[in-house]
């Protein structure tokens, strides 16, 4: 029985012969091509908008965390004052990433090399929140990429200055070979 079924199937396939090609209307083909192209462009724009929205949401989430922590500590809204070495490193890392987003799609601080106190003219304690008082200096390395799939990002050094309890300056620069 199985042999008979297989023979009928093989004969049926052989009888069908090659499939004939149908003529395609060139106008229909062009319209279909345009529609597919427009859909691809719209999908790419939507993906870019989603990436930008995700980046803004991440920034907002980080800032929201900082605002909430600062509001609890001070009893008011706004970013918390930078008082300690750890606060200085965190504030400068976030500020450097924000600057990096102006250059590339992805920015990530890879390391903090140095944090040092900067004494103000009034001799106040480093990291104080008084205007014109003392602050912090921070140096580190940030990696900039155009996509997660990029094999290697562009590394840049950054330097950040904190005065009066807030970030006042962030500078990104390429590495320079020193001899």
């Amino acid at each position: 029985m199985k042999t008979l079924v297989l023979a009928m199937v093989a004969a049926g396939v052989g009888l069908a012969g090659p499939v004939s090609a149908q003529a395609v209307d060139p106008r229909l083909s062009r319209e279909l091509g345009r529609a597919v192209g427009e859909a691809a462009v719209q999908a790419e724009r939507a993906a870019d908008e989603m990436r930008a929205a995700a980046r803004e949401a991440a920034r907002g989430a980080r800032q929201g965390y900082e605002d909430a922590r600062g509001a609890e500590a001070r009893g008011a809204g706004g970013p918390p004052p930078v008082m300690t070495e750890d606060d200085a490193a965190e504030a400068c890392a976030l500020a450097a990433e924000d600057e990096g987003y102006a250059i590339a799609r992805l920015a990530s601080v890879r390391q903090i090399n140095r944090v040092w106190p900067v004494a103000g003219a009034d001799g106040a304690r480093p990291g104080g929140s008084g205007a014109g008082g003392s602050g912090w200096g921070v140096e580190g390395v940030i990696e900039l990429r155009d996509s997660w799939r990029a094999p290697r990002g562009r590394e840049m050094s950054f330097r950040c200055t904190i005065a009066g309890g807030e970030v006042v300056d962030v500078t990104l620069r390429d590495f320079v070979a020193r001899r």
Side-chain angles (χ1 to χ4, degrees):
M1 184 68 177
K2 290 181 185 178
T3 308
L4 179 61
V5 171
L6 288 175
M8 291 175 60
V9 168
V13 170
L15 292 176
V19 177
S20 62
Q22 296 179 352
V24 177
D25 182 15
R27 189 179 46 148
L28 179 63
S29 179
R30 276 192 305 270
E31 289 175 9
L32 183 60
R34 279 190 199 121
V36 169
E38 288 175 6
V41 168
Q42 288 176 354
E44 187 175 339
R45 285 181 184 162
D48 285 342
E49 289 174 7
M50 286 177 31
R51 280 191 291 270
R55 187 170 55 235
E56 289 301 317
R59 281 186 198 164
R62 287 191 305 235
Q63 189 63 39
Y65 170 73
E66 291 296 322
D67 286 346
R69 189 177 72 168
E72 291 172 8
R74 291 185 326 276
V82 177
M83 301 295 285
T84 66
E85 184 175 332
D86 288 341
D87 288 344
E90 183 177 347
C92 282
L94 291 175
E97 285 181 353
D98 284 344
E99 286 293 317
Y101 283 127
I103 300 170
R105 287 185 176 181
L106 301 170
S108 178
V109 170
R110 291 295 176 210
Q111 65 187 37
I112 301 293
N113 295 333
R114 194 172 91 149
V115 179
W116 67 94
V118 177
D122 60 0
R125 183 171 179 261
S129 59
S134 56
W136 298 93
V138 178
E139 286 182 348
V141 177
I142 187 169
E143 182 181 27
L144 305 175
R145 291 180 180 222
D146 288 325
S147 74
W148 286 110
R149 293 182 184 209
R152 184 170 191 117
R154 177 177 158 198
E155 287 190 345
M156 299 180 81
S157 65
F158 71 88
R159 179 175 266 191
C160 174
T161 305
I162 296 175
E166 62 185 38
V167 175
V168 294
D169 184 43
V170 177
T171 305
L172 301 180
R173 63 182 185 271
D174 287 325
F175 286 109
V176 177
R178 298 180 189 193
R179 296 179 187 214

